[in-house]
Amino acid sequence: METIRGKTSLTMDSTELHARLANYKRIALDLGTGDGKFAFCHAQTFPSHFIIGMDSCRENLREYSRTNLPNLLYVIANAQSLPHELHGQISHVTINFPWGSLLNSLLEGDPRLLCGLESILGSGARLEIRLNGGALSEQGWSLEDGSERIFQNLAVAGWRLDAPAKMDSHALHHFPSTWAKRLAFGRDPRAIYGSASLK
């Protein structure tokens, strides 16, 4: 599994990863973490949680991956090919404002993503997902229809969904991610939040 710290790329095997995770009861994966700000803020706020920020674009991660928090790790990987080292390790997944191939996989119900997620999750795992109108519009979907399609795909894959909630510009402004701040002041400051657990 490829990890990154600043400009340095390192390989971490299962033994080393399990040693890092050993003293943490909650292990969260921020999938499609972007620049990694949300993962960093989560790790700072909850030192008893171990946070893994994962993205396929290493350049975006250079700033936040320089930090030396013991409960934070950044991993370079595609959402459609999740590292086998994470198998059964994750108790919580966040997907915040996906776009590009990650959003496409959610809209299409891509089994590489959905089966991959199932493989890395432990029992009682939770998923939180936030979808924004602008990204869905670029894919030809309205916020409402695109969100419904994604939630249907998750339900078919075995997730039990809670009732979704809307996020307005105020909620986006106070959400700890770089992209949420841009959305809050953008042309389409709308988003939908959903949460789910595996059946």
Side-chain angles (χ1 to χ4, degrees):
M1 181 174 73
E2 183 183 1
T3 68
I4 190 166
R5 186 166 183 183
K7 295 182 179 181
T8 303
S9 175
L10 301 168
T11 298
M12 180 176 289
D13 62 19
S14 296
T15 300
E16 186 178 355
L17 176 65
H18 295 169
R20 287 283 303 273
L21 303 180
N23 296 319
Y24 297 93
K25 292 184 178 180
R26 179 167 175 170
I27 301 165
L29 172 67
D30 186 42
L31 186 59
T33 197
D35 66 359
K37 180 179 178 180
F38 175 80
F40 171 78
C41 291
H42 192 160
Q44 262 197 330
T45 305
F46 300 100
S48 63
H49 299 176
F50 193 96
I51 315 302
I52 300 171
M54 182 181 296
D55 206 280
S56 60
C57 182
R58 68 187 68 248
E59 289 79 12
N60 292 344
L61 287 168
R62 285 179 178 170
E63 178 183 353
Y64 284 101
S65 68
R66 290 190 184 101
T67 59
N68 194 26
L69 294 176
N71 62 328
L72 179 62
L73 179 69
Y74 289 103
V75 173
I76 306 299
N78 291 315
Q80 298 80 13
S81 183
L82 297 173
H84 67 86
E85 290 87 353
L86 297 180
H87 182 82
Q89 298 297 313
I90 305 299
S91 58
H92 196 95
V93 176
T94 51
I95 302 176
N96 295 316
F97 316 112
W99 66 287
S101 63
L102 177 52
L103 181 57
N104 282 333
S105 289
L106 290 165
L107 286 166
E108 295 170 2
D110 187 343
R112 295 175 301 167
L113 170 64
L114 297 175
C115 294
L117 280 174
E118 186 174 354
S119 75
I120 66 171
L121 297 172
S123 60
R126 295 283 298 172
L127 168 70
E128 292 185 26
I129 185 168
R130 294 166 180 89
L131 303 162
N132 65 288
L136 284 165
S137 178
E138 289 180 4
Q139 300 295 330
W141 293 84
S142 69
L143 175 61
E144 293 74 18
D145 290 346
S147 299
E148 183 178 353
R149 173 67 175 268
I150 289 171
F151 294 148
Q152 286 176 347
N153 289 338
L154 290 171
V156 169
W159 291 90
R160 183 184 295 108
L161 295 154
D162 302 325
K166 292 183 178 179
M167 296 179 71
D168 59 14
S169 59
H170 178 77
L172 289 168
H173 178 69
H174 288 88
F175 188 78
S177 85
T178 302
W179 193 242
K181 299 292 189 299
R182 292 178 184 173
L183 293 172
F185 295 106
R187 291 182 297 175
D188 189 2
R190 299 177 306 132
I192 287 181
Y193 164 80
S195 61
S197 57
L198 275 176
K199 294 177 182 178

